[in-house]
């Protein structure tokens, strides 16, 4: 069994090297390339949701003709994002149901996973359009359910990011790379801690203009406590994991805290210069890039090593 599977795996690798990317895309012979295409489709869906939320009211006036869009207000802004999200969810959930349980590369469902791109692109476009003709009540119901799904997704993403950072730290501390990467680890860890501290101080300045902003104070302070706790545990003699892992994890939790606090409704007393906060497009761009990078890391690390989700 092992010999035959190893032989088929080596044969598959040789085919991947001989075929061009275009032929692999057309024939669906490379399941590794499939993750890049799925990631590209997911990125396009995110860009579409961003455009619908921030720039849709001026560009998508034709939405008024759709039955589910009352004066375009239900298909743009926050509800527009939910409609794009619903279409994306339907597509990927359909792919999950149609490929679950696949264990061999030569199965038909494996070919469906890594091929048939013309049909799947048409299916993805159709699933993206369908939510825009649904009534607003269905979209609001999906939005309520999506709050729970977002929490589960963040938990999975957190486990995946931890797994990736741990793998990166183990690689840097291995016998082969320890001497060569020591300076790079120190510089990267120091930079991570500096960015974490600057981010926490900035959040105190921007989002705690008054002592009455207790909720913001609570989350920002607990982010600082978690950073200190992770550093203490990582430097404990029984763990001895160094400072790279808590530094990178600190960047991630500071970013999550920043996104959570920044999502507060505008015009509140706990946002300094609330009247100009909507004009800082560069903050939106930075948060979008960081979020996409986090999702890419989580997706690829989970696809490579799924042991972090298996019970021991």
């Amino acid at each position: 069994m092992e010999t035959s599977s190893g032989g088929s795996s080596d044969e598959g690798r040789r085919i991947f090297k001989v075929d061009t990317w275009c032929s692999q895309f057309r024939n669906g012979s490379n399941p590794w390339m499939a993750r890049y295409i799925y990631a590209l489709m997911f990125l396009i869906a995110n860009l579409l949701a961003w455009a619908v939320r921030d720039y849709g009211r001026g560009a998508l006036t034709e939405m008024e003709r759709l039955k589910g869009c009352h004066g375009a207000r239900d298909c743009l802004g926050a509800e527009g994002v939910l409609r794009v999200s619903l279409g994306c969810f339907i597509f990927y959930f359909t792919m999950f149901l149609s490929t679950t349980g696949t264990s061999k590369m030569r199965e038909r469902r494996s070919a469906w996973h890594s091929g048939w791109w013309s049909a799947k692109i048409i299916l993805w476009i159709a699933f993206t359009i369908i939510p825009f003709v649904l009534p607003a009540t269905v979209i609001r119901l999906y939005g309520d359910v999506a709050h729970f799904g977002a929490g589960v997704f963040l938990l999975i993403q957190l486990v995946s990011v931890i797994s990736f950072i741990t793998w990166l730290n183990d690689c840097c501390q291995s016998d082969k790379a320890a001497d060569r990467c020591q300076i790079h680890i120190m510089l990267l860890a120091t930079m991570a801690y500096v960015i974490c501290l600057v981010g926490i101080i900035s959040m105190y300045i921007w989002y705690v203009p008054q002592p009455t902003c207790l909720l913001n104070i609570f989350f920002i302070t607990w982010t600082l406590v978690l950073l200190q706790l992770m550093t203490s545990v990582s430097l404990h003699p029984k763990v001895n994991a160094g400072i790279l892992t808590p530094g990178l994890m600190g960047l991630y939790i500071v970013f999550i805290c920043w996104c959570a606090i920044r999502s507060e409704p505008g015009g509140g007393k706990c946002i300094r210069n609330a009247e100009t906060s909507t004009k800082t497009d560069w903050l939106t761009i930075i948060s979008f890039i960081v979020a996409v990078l986090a999702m890419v890391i989580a997706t690829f690390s989970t696809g490579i090593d799924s042991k972090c989700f298996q019970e021991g």
Side-chain angles (χ1 to χ4, degrees):
M1 290 292 290
E2 293 180 359
T3 305
S4 62
S5 62
S8 62
S9 178
D10 294 338
E11 181 183 355
R13 289 193 183 97
R14 288 195 295 268
I15 293 174
F16 300 159
K17 291 181 180 179
V18 173
D19 290 346
T20 63
W21 277 66
C22 183
S23 61
Q24 291 177 15
F25 175 81
R26 184 176 62 253
N27 300 327
S29 58
N30 191 348
W32 284 90
M33 191 181 68
R35 65 176 63 196
Y36 293 99
I37 302 176
Y38 287 126
L40 179 61
M41 295 168 69
F42 188 70
L43 175 62
I44 294 174
N46 278 271
L47 293 174
L48 177 61
W50 186 6
V52 167
R53 188 193 68 178
D54 292 347
Y55 309 105
R57 297 190 182 280
L60 301 179
T61 55
E62 295 296 323
M63 289 289 185
E64 298 181 3
R65 300 182 181 180
L66 297 178
K67 294 181 179 180
C69 304
H70 302 288
R73 70 178 185 273
D74 290 334
C75 289
L76 302 171
E79 287 205 10
V81 175
L82 287 176
R83 292 177 186 270
V84 175
S85 172
L86 178 58
C88 193
F89 167 76
I90 294 174
F91 172 76
Y92 284 102
F93 190 70
T94 301
M95 291 304 304
F96 166 74
L97 292 179
S98 60
T99 58
T100 185
T102 305
S103 58
K104 297 180 180 179
M105 292 180 58
R106 298 186 181 276
E107 290 186 15
R108 292 184 178 180
R109 288 183 296 176
S110 179
W112 164 247
H113 165 74
S114 57
W116 294 84
W117 290 112
S118 298
K120 285 191 289 191
I121 289 174
I122 294 174
L123 189 67
W124 173 58
I125 294 174
F127 283 151
T128 303
I129 295 175
I130 288 175
F132 284 92
V133 299
L134 296 178
T137 53
V138 176
I139 303 302
R140 295 191 184 98
L141 178 62
Y142 166 75
D144 294 335
V145 177
H147 286 296
F148 173 77
V152 175
F153 175 76
L154 281 177
L155 181 61
I156 296 174
Q157 187 183 68
L158 178 62
V159 174
S160 301
V161 170
I162 292 174
S163 177
F164 173 78
I165 293 175
T166 304
W167 169 82
L168 180 63
N169 185 66
D170 292 340
C171 291
C172 293
Q173 290 187 345
S174 62
D175 296 336
K176 296 181 180 179
D179 296 334
R180 183 180 57 188
C181 298
Q182 186 174 5
I183 298 178
H184 300 82
I185 291 175
M186 291 298 298
L187 290 176
L188 183 59
T190 302
M191 187 183 303
Y193 276 102
V194 169
I195 295 175
C196 288
L197 293 177
V198 170
I200 291 173
I201 293 173
S202 300
M203 285 191 290
Y204 274 119
I205 295 174
W206 291 341
Y207 301 110
V208 190
Q210 301 177 5
T212 56
C213 302
L214 299 179
L215 188 60
N216 290 0
I217 294 174
F218 172 79
F219 284 113
I220 298 173
T221 304
W222 265 105
T223 301
L224 180 61
V225 171
L226 284 175
L227 178 61
Q228 177 62 40
L229 182 62
M230 288 189 301
T231 304
S232 301
V233 172
S234 183
L235 294 178
H236 193 275
K238 293 184 178 180
V239 179
N240 195 23
I243 59 175
L244 181 61
T245 300
L248 295 179
M249 276 306 303
L251 285 177
Y252 182 72
I253 63 174
V254 168
F255 169 72
I256 293 296
C257 180
W258 177 51
C259 289
I261 295 179
R262 194 168 171 266
S263 64
E264 293 180 358
K269 296 180 180 179
C270 292
I271 301 180
R272 191 180 298 274
N273 299 328
E275 65 277 1
T276 60
S277 62
T278 56
K279 299 180 181 180
T280 55
D281 288 342
W282 64 274
L283 291 176
T284 303
I285 294 174
I286 292 176
S287 62
F288 177 78
I289 293 174
V290 174
V292 169
L293 287 176
M295 285 186 288
V296 168
I297 291 173
T299 301
F300 279 78
S301 62
T302 305
I304 294 173
D305 184 9
S306 60
K307 292 181 179 179
C308 55
F309 296 102
Q310 296 177 358
E311 294 181 1

